[in-house]
């Protein structure tokens, strides 16, 4: 078997072969580029979704804190009212106790001035004053 030499290639056939190879590689690269662009778009969407989720969480946390703060402020107002009520009751009770103490002191003073027989002395026994 004799080896036959391949027919010589023409310049046009070489250029056509190169163009075909370039077209194939361009198609492969375009496909890879499309895949990468898709991955990038999905990544951007995940980032956007994550940011949106975080924003929602921050808003929810903010609302929760606002509600908690309002509840605390309401409770502080209630406690202030209760404290004022207790202060008023205490002041009234103190005034009442002071009146009772004053009355008790008067009663003791009167009791101390009574004679052994229970009569009230208006003066000292030596002064000659009347006895009731």
């Amino acid at each position: 078997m004799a080896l036959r030499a391949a027919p010589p290639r023409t310049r046009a056939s070489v250029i056509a072969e190169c163009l075909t190879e370039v077209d194939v590689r361009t198609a492969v690269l375009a496909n890879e580029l499309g895949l990468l662009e898709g991955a990038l778009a999905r990544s951007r969407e995940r980032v956007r979704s994550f940011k949106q989720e975080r924003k929602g969480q921050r808003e929810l946390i903010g609302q929760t804190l606002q509600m908690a703060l309002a509840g605390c402020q309401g409770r502080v107002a209630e406690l202030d009212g209760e404290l004022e009520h207790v202060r008023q009751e205490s002041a009234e009770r103190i005034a009442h106790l002071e009146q009772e103490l004053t009355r008790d002191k008067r009663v003791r003073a009167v009791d101390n001035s009574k004679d052994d027989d229970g009569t009230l002395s208006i003066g000292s026994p030596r002064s000659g004053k009347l006895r009731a």
Side-chain angles (χ1 to χ4, degrees):
M1 235 174 124
L3 288 176
R4 271 178 89 188
R9 296 177 37 178
T10 63
R11 183 171 182 222
S13 69
V14 171
I15 290 175
E17 189 178 313
C18 286
L19 288 176
T20 302
E21 188 177 330
V22 167
D23 287 342
V24 168
R25 287 186 181 184
T26 300
V28 168
L29 290 175
N31 185 41
E32 288 179 9
L33 182 61
L35 293 174
L36 289 174
E37 286 174 342
L40 178 61
R42 287 188 300 277
S43 293
R44 285 182 178 161
E45 179 58 27
R46 282 195 303 267
V47 167
R48 188 197 62 74
S49 175
F50 178 75
K51 285 181 180 179
Q52 190 67 25
E53 183 180 323
R54 291 282 306 261
K55 180 181 177 186
Q57 289 173 348
R58 282 193 308 271
E59 289 173 357
L60 181 61
I61 289 169
Q63 291 170 355
T64 303
L65 290 175
Q66 287 292 341
M67 289 172 33
L69 177 61
C72 289
Q73 289 171 335
R75 184 64 180 139
V76 166
E78 288 176 20
L79 292 174
D80 280 343
E82 289 179 26
L83 178 61
E84 187 57 34
H85 181 72
V86 167
R87 284 180 179 157
Q88 288 175 353
E89 284 183 344
S90 297
E92 291 170 5
R93 181 71 178 141
I94 289 170
H96 178 73
L97 291 172
E98 286 174 345
Q99 289 173 353
E100 285 184 15
L101 181 62
T102 301
R103 185 181 47 105
D104 287 349
K105 284 180 182 178
R106 284 187 200 139
V107 169
R108 265 188 258 128
V110 169
D111 285 347
N112 289 339
S113 66
K114 288 185 180 178
D115 290 338
D116 292 335
D117 60 359
T119 58
L120 185 61
S121 297
I122 297 175
S124 66
R126 288 175 272 178
S127 68
K129 293 188 179 178
L130 300 173
R131 293 171 55 132

